[in-house]
Amino acid sequence: MEIRKVLLTEDEMPRQWYNILADIKMNPPLGPDGKVISPDALSPVFPMNLIEQEVSSERWIDIPEEVLGVLNIWRPSPLVRALSLEKALGTPARIYFKNESLSPPGSHKPNTAVPQAYYNKVFGIRRLTTETGAGQWGSALAFACSQFGLECKVYMVRISFDQKPYRKSLMSVWGAKCVASPSMETRAGRDILEKTPDSPGSLGIAISEAIEEAVGDTTGQTRYALGSVLNHVMLHQTIIGLEAKKQMEKIGEYPDIVIGCAGGGSNFAGLAFPFVHDKINGKQLEIYPVEPTACPTLTRAPFAYDHGDCAGYTPLLAMHSLGHTFVPAPIHAGGLRYHGMAPTVSQLAAEGLIEAKAVSQLAAYQAGVLMARTEGIVPAPETNHALACVVDEAKKAKEEGKEKVILFNFSGHGMIDLVAYDKYFAGQLQDYVLSKEEECKFEECLKAYPKPQLLKSR
Amino acid sequence: MEIRKVLLTEDEMPRQWYNILADIKMNPPLGPDGKVISPDALSPVFPMNLIEQEVSSERWIDIPEEVLGVLNIWRPSPLVRALSLEKALGTPARIYFKNESLSPPGSHKPNTAVPQAYYNKVFGIRRLTTETGAGQWGSALAFACSQFGLECKVYMVRISFDQKPYRKSLMSVWGAKCVASPSMETRAGRDILEKTPDSPGSLGIAISEAIEEAVGDTTGQTRYALGSVLNHVMLHQTIIGLEAKKQMEKIGEYPDIVIGCAGGGSNFAGLAFPFVHDKINGKQLEIYPVEPTACPTLTRAPFAYDHGDCAGYTPLLAMHSLGHTFVPAPIHAGGLRYHGMAPTVSQLAAEGLIEAKAVSQLAAYQAGVLMARTEGIVPAPETNHALACVVDEAKKAKEEGKEKVILFNFSGHGMIDLVAYDKYFAGQLQDYVLSKEEECKFEECLKAYPKPQLLKSR
């Protein structure tokens, strides 16, 4: 028997998050007037303690005991050597992954849902609202709110709400209320339904409904929570990479390549940022965020100022963006169908500290099935994109005859997204590649906004 | 932060299974003629190495390295202190559980699917057939076969096949073929469909189809696999209890009460048998298998000779049985809807070494929701039955002011069975209690068979 897993005890859990803002320069968020936005302006939406984290440039930020006391339901997550996958590929590479699928909701999302619920709770907030597309984030927040006794209301994009009824059920088990968006519960929702009664909804609409409800609570006890993109979300996720570093150290390994799929950027950032810190300090390694060819934010889109949501309600963020009016092709990796990218991840890409890859949907599923049939666990559609890149790199190592060490983030399992595998086997999935015509559209969409500076952190 | 989990490393995994047949006397299986059946008679159905295990009375049986090398994908499983559940109940009891939901298919079933696939493989078998009701066993065998390169064919009861499409998808991901039963692929299936084209199927029909296909392969390279009831299945599951004992020893604990839900008996046996061994050797503790009031095999039915399947194809087994013609009420815990009980578990109940409890469906879901909202993880419907008993015992400990140590088996998660939670919240689930009239029926069904002896092992 070869040992597969490197475990940490709960005592060995990181006690601080790593804040990449200490190590890089960033273009600030801008208001609608093009001026730098003040943190206070966000206070109707987020509690002040989270806003402080959002703008902090402290390198290490303490993880509260109460947060550790919930994260330890499933953390530390195992670092797993993908022995069977290596054998199937006949590669000299050693492949490791962090298994983030073992959390109760089945993905990395609760790593930030738990601290967000906690900070809202201590700030005196009683109720959180949010939006969810495929449902991973909504169920993670539902779980986190149940741990801290907060109410939770999730606006779920109508088309996913209808296609994935299990996600709603899961949120109900944790006591959250999940409604299809557009809904009759907000002005934004009612306006849409009046014009388009059979609207399939969108993340943009769901975000506006969730924010409207949070801001509209005159008692001041409701806030909104976001599951990706923002700096404090990336911060909370770094526990993944910090654990991974400890685990690799235990077995005397260090990665040559770090890989994570990237939609809004949070699971990628969670694994990669602590290694980016090393790279900034002179370590040699490659770091690859992987996105779908259908939504190639980092590989095809410009580094620009754009809104984080489709409706244009949020401040302008300096990020790689396909334009906030961009509607990605209907690939099954709902978590990767985002027009933008976390400003921190975008900044790293812009200055060449990380190098984005794009993979097609079919290659992703092919890699996912290989993973299931070797390592046993069934990956989420998003995770399959990281896997396609892992397979490519393992094959490259074979061709080059190099013993590379590859580390990737197994961001979530696919137990509630199996329908897509059925379609894959039935030959009903297709590849999407962004056309030149669509590229022109996002150039059009972005041209009115200021251009961010090309900052160099080093 | 209070520590929740007691971990073992892969090096600390048990290297031998515990065989309870070394410690108890058993009534032998009988053929249709009422005579003791020879092991050879089973050879068209099972490979000889598994049949030898089925009848072995060696107390400790080595776990092959190749089996350990797959079990370690998820094993050793954590022993978890249910701190948040304890707090919610305000109990002085310390509650621990083995989390068997972390296996790739999400339940304890692969603990036996993996060795069964392995033994078939080394015996030269290329293909396994089986039946599945709710789908947990079918997906576990699909996973195990994918690990050893065996083909796998699963006959899934038609009504579940239609209601739970995700289970079939999951089996496909692991490369198994899953067909609805009754099917046109066997004589047994065709006969039923001719008479009843819209038959919803049953476990009995599915078993006959799976056995017919295995036995009918004239190349001799196909065998049948069973996921519960038989001695070798219980044997393989004892890795759960053996790990639990090591883990409790590490923290200086020993259970006063051991609890597992019981359908065919395998998850209960897996946790409990190593503790039964202690009890036989003088330890003081209570051991409770928990069944649904809708299918009260141990609490209401006699210890009798009966068939393991509904159609009457299998040998007569000495067990608690509601009669093989008994059709349990449609509770959602599909894995507990079985008319019989493992002969080993039945023997222990008959001689008072374990004491069965029955709980209602609503109490089970109430406990399951409490578990999800405290410990975070969402239990399978079957597991909820164990939880209802845990809650009862924790409350009793509170009333009595006693610091009892309760250990239970968290046999599986409910991520693919969320529909039942929806029904629970909507008030659409009901309790079922076996009527006196139904009791008369099983007495009628069993009266033609020989009576087993009331053996005493001590």
Side-chain angles (χ1 to χ4, degrees):
Chain A
M1 177 186 76
E2 287 180 273
I3 301 292
R4 291 179 186 264
K5 303 183 291 294
V6 185
L7 304 177
L8 296 177
T9 64
E10 291 166 50
D11 282 330
E12 293 172 303
M13 268 168 86
R15 292 304 201 263
Q16 296 181 310
W17 291 298
Y18 165 64
N19 183 8
I20 201 157
L21 296 188
D23 287 322
I24 56 173
K25 291 178 192 149
M26 296 277 291
N27 287 277
L30 305 179
D33 54 2
K35 287 189 185 153
V36 174
I37 209 161
S38 86
D40 285 347
L42 297 170
S43 67
V45 183
F46 301 109
M48 212 55 210
N49 47 8
L50 275 177
I51 295 171
E52 282 162 16
Q53 247 177 25
E54 179 68 18
V55 299
S56 167
S57 57
E58 288 287 318
R59 183 169 288 113
W60 299 101
I61 293 181
D62 288 346
I63 309 178
E65 276 293 305
E66 295 85 343
V67 170
L68 290 168
V70 175
L71 294 180
N72 73 345
I73 286 178
W74 75 98
R75 300 208 78 85
S77 73
L79 177 78
V80 187
R81 171 95 184 262
L83 287 167
S84 310
L85 179 63
E86 288 172 18
K87 269 175 213 145
L89 293 168
T91 179
R94 294 192 293 285
I95 305 174
Y96 296 90
F97 62 92
K98 277 294 271 184
N99 188 353
E100 292 296 310
S101 75
L102 301 175
S103 72
S107 81
H108 69 291
K109 288 288 184 193
N111 293 331
T112 184
V114 170
Q116 288 195 49
Y118 168 76
Y119 285 113
N120 274 283
K121 174 84 177 182
V122 299
F123 194 71
I125 300 304
R126 290 179 50 184
R127 193 150 176 282
L128 287 179
T129 66
T130 197
E131 78 293 334
T132 199
Q136 286 280 19
W137 168 243
S139 45
L141 193 68
F143 157 70
C145 285
S146 82
Q147 286 291 317
F148 291 105
L150 294 175
E151 283 178 50
C152 181
K153 170 86 160 281
V154 180
Y155 288 89
M156 185 167 182
V157 176
R158 161 63 75 184
I159 187 164
S160 297
F161 185 90
D162 292 338
Q163 284 173 351
K164 301 189 175 185
Y166 278 20
R167 281 284 169 198
K168 173 182 174 285
S169 313
L170 188 54
M171 294 180 229
S172 309
V173 172
W174 284 314
K177 193 175 171 196
C178 174
V179 296
S181 166
S183 77
M184 291 300 286
E185 310 199 9
T186 64
R187 177 182 299 268
R190 287 188 297 271
D191 282 355
I192 303 270
L193 287 175
E194 204 168 283
K195 287 177 220 151
T196 332
D198 58 348
S199 163
S202 74
L203 265 180
I205 299 168
I207 292 177
S208 4
E209 289 205 275
I211 294 181
E212 182 185 323
E213 180 169 343
V215 172
D217 177 359
T218 50
T219 70
Q221 295 184 325
T222 304
R223 288 294 183 283
Y224 165 76
L226 191 64
S228 195
V229 180
L230 298 179
N231 302 339
H232 66 272
V233 177
M234 308 294 133
L235 174 79
H236 300 155
Q237 292 291 356
T238 59
I239 194 166
I240 303 172
L242 294 168
E243 283 180 5
K245 280 178 75 171
K246 277 198 188 189
Q247 286 161 313
M248 297 211 96
E249 222 175 275
K250 278 201 173 190
I251 51 167
E253 290 273 38
Y254 192 87
D256 297 300
I257 307 172
V258 172
I259 295 169
C261 63
S266 79
N267 98 79
F268 165 75
L271 178 65
F273 281 7
F275 292 98
V276 172
H277 174 73
D278 290 356
K279 192 167 179 173
I280 289 172
N281 288 291
K283 271 272 188 192
Q284 291 286 324
L285 78 159
E286 303 302 320
I287 304 176
Y288 302 151
V290 186
E291 53 190 21
T293 51
C295 193
T297 317
L298 289 167
T299 49
R300 301 264 308 266
F303 184 52
Y305 265 112
D306 195 8
H307 295 288
D309 64 323
C310 309
Y313 296 154
T314 75
L316 289 167
L317 304 171
M319 61 181 179
H320 279 272
S321 177
L322 294 156
H324 63 273
T325 57
F326 178 73
V327 179
I331 56 166
H332 273 272
L336 305 183
R337 296 180 67 240
Y338 182 60
H339 71 275
M341 180 60 67
T344 45
V345 174
S346 296
Q347 172 63 29
L348 295 176
E351 56 180 297
L353 280 162
I354 62 177
E355 186 191 335
K357 309 278 180 185
V359 301
S360 75
Q361 175 159 256
L362 290 177
Y365 275 87
Q366 194 179 9
V369 170
L370 180 64
M371 180 74 181
R373 292 184 183 175
T374 52
E375 296 299 311
I377 42 176
V378 178
E382 292 81 6
T383 313
N384 286 344
H385 288 74
L387 275 160
C389 179
V390 169
V391 168
D392 283 349
E393 294 302 320
K395 286 182 179 166
K396 226 179 271 174
K398 186 181 179 179
E399 282 159 24
E400 297 171 1
K402 284 192 187 157
E403 277 194 29
K404 285 191 186 164
V405 176
I406 300 172
L407 169 65
F408 76 98
N409 202 3
F410 191 91
S411 56
H413 67 63
M415 296 296 261
I416 306 195
D417 295 287
L418 288 165
V419 171
Y421 282 95
D422 283 343
K423 289 192 185 162
Y424 171 69
F425 290 124
Q428 292 164 1
L429 286 193
Q430 61 177 102
D431 282 340
Y432 298 93
V433 179
L434 200 78
S435 68
K436 276 280 160 204
E437 205 173 44
E438 286 172 301
E439 218 167 70
C440 298
K441 272 193 215 156
F442 61 69
E443 278 163 15
E444 185 64 28
C445 165
L446 294 168
K447 74 177 179 194
Y449 301 126
K451 299 276 169 264
Q453 285 182 271
L454 272 178
L455 302 170
K456 277 286 171 190
S457 303
R458 291 182 297 184
Chain B
M1 178 187 73
E2 285 181 273
I3 301 293
R4 291 180 186 264
K5 302 183 292 294
V6 185
L7 304 177
L8 296 177
T9 65
E10 291 167 50
D11 283 330
E12 293 172 301
M13 267 168 87
R15 291 307 201 260
Q16 296 181 308
W17 291 298
Y18 164 64
N19 182 8
I20 202 158
L21 296 188
D23 286 322
I24 56 172
K25 291 179 191 150
M26 295 277 290
N27 287 276
L30 305 179
D33 54 2
K35 286 188 186 158
V36 175
I37 209 161
S38 87
D40 285 347
L42 297 170
S43 66
V45 182
F46 301 109
M48 211 56 209
N49 48 9
L50 275 178
I51 296 171
E52 282 161 16
Q53 245 177 28
E54 179 68 17
V55 300
S56 168
S57 56
E58 287 288 317
R59 184 168 288 112
W60 299 101
I61 293 180
D62 287 347
I63 309 178
E65 276 293 304
E66 294 85 343
V67 170
L68 289 168
V70 175
L71 294 180
N72 73 345
I73 286 177
W74 75 98
R75 301 209 75 85
S77 72
L79 177 77
V80 187
R81 172 95 183 262
L83 287 167
S84 311
L85 179 63
E86 288 171 18
K87 269 175 213 144
L89 293 169
T91 178
R94 295 192 293 285
I95 305 174
Y96 295 90
F97 62 92
K98 277 293 271 184
N99 188 352
E100 293 297 309
S101 76
L102 301 175
S103 73
S107 81
H108 69 292
K109 290 287 185 195
N111 293 331
T112 184
V114 170
Q116 287 195 49
Y118 168 77
Y119 284 113
N120 274 283
K121 175 84 177 183
V122 299
F123 194 71
I125 301 305
R126 291 177 52 183
R127 193 150 176 283
L128 287 179
T129 65
T130 198
E131 79 291 334
T132 199
Q136 285 279 19
W137 168 244
S139 45
L141 194 67
F143 157 69
C145 285
S146 83
Q147 286 291 317
F148 291 104
L150 295 176
E151 285 177 48
C152 180
K153 170 86 160 282
V154 180
Y155 289 90
M156 185 167 182
V157 176
R158 163 60 76 183
I159 187 164
S160 297
F161 185 91
D162 292 338
Q163 283 173 352
K164 301 189 174 184
Y166 278 19
R167 280 285 170 198
K168 174 182 175 284
S169 314
L170 188 54
M171 295 181 230
S172 309
V173 172
W174 283 314
K177 193 174 170 198
C178 173
V179 296
S181 166
S183 78
M184 290 300 286
E185 309 199 11
T186 64
R187 178 181 299 267
R190 287 189 296 272
D191 283 354
I192 303 270
L193 288 175
E194 206 166 283
K195 286 177 224 152
T196 332
D198 58 349
S199 162
S202 74
L203 266 180
I205 299 169
I207 292 178
S208 6
E209 289 206 274
I211 294 181
E212 182 185 321
E213 181 170 343
V215 172
D217 178 358
T218 51
T219 70
Q221 295 184 326
T222 304
R223 289 292 184 284
Y224 166 76
L226 190 65
S228 193
V229 180
L230 298 179
N231 302 339
H232 67 272
V233 177
M234 306 295 132
L235 174 78
H236 300 154
Q237 293 290 356
T238 58
I239 195 167
I240 304 171
L242 293 167
E243 282 179 8
K245 280 178 74 171
K246 276 198 188 187
Q247 286 162 314
M248 297 212 95
E249 221 175 276
K250 278 201 173 190
I251 51 168
E253 289 273 36
Y254 192 87
D256 296 302
I257 307 173
V258 172
I259 294 169
C261 63
S266 79
N267 98 78
F268 165 75
L271 178 65
F273 281 7
F275 292 97
V276 171
H277 174 74
D278 290 356
K279 191 166 180 174
I280 290 173
N281 288 291
K283 271 271 189 193
Q284 292 285 326
L285 77 159
E286 304 301 319
I287 304 176
Y288 302 151
V290 186
E291 52 190 21
T293 50
C295 194
T297 318
L298 289 167
T299 48
R300 302 264 307 268
F303 185 51
Y305 265 112
D306 196 7
H307 295 288
D309 65 323
C310 309
Y313 296 153
T314 76
L316 290 166
L317 304 171
M319 60 182 179
H320 280 271
S321 176
L322 294 156
H324 62 273
T325 56
F326 177 74
V327 179
I331 56 166
H332 274 273
L336 305 183
R337 296 180 67 239
Y338 182 60
H339 70 275
M341 181 58 68
T344 45
V345 174
S346 296
Q347 173 63 29
L348 295 176
E351 55 181 297
L353 279 162
I354 61 177
E355 187 192 336
K357 308 277 180 186
V359 301
S360 75
Q361 176 160 253
L362 290 177
Y365 275 87
Q366 194 181 8
V369 170
L370 180 64
M371 180 74 181
R373 293 183 183 177
T374 52
E375 295 299 311
I377 43 176
V378 178
E382 293 79 9
T383 313
N384 285 345
H385 289 74
L387 275 160
C389 179
V390 169
V391 169
D392 283 348
E393 294 302 318
K395 285 183 180 166
K396 224 179 275 174
K398 186 179 179 181
E399 282 160 24
E400 296 170 2
K402 285 192 187 157
E403 276 195 28
K404 285 190 185 164
V405 176
I406 300 172
L407 170 64
F408 76 99
N409 202 2
F410 191 91
S411 56
H413 66 61
M415 297 295 261
I416 306 193
D417 295 287
L418 288 165
V419 172
Y421 283 95
D422 283 343
K423 290 193 185 162
Y424 171 69
F425 291 124
Q428 291 164 0
L429 286 194
Q430 60 178 102
D431 282 340
Y432 298 93
V433 179
L434 199 78
S435 68
K436 275 281 161 203
E437 206 172 42
E438 287 173 299
E439 217 167 71
C440 298
K441 272 194 215 155
F442 61 70
E443 278 163 15
E444 185 65 28
C445 165
L446 294 168
K447 74 178 179 192
Y449 301 126
K451 298 278 168 266
Q453 285 182 272
L454 272 178
L455 302 169
K456 277 286 171 189
S457 302
R458 293 182 293 187

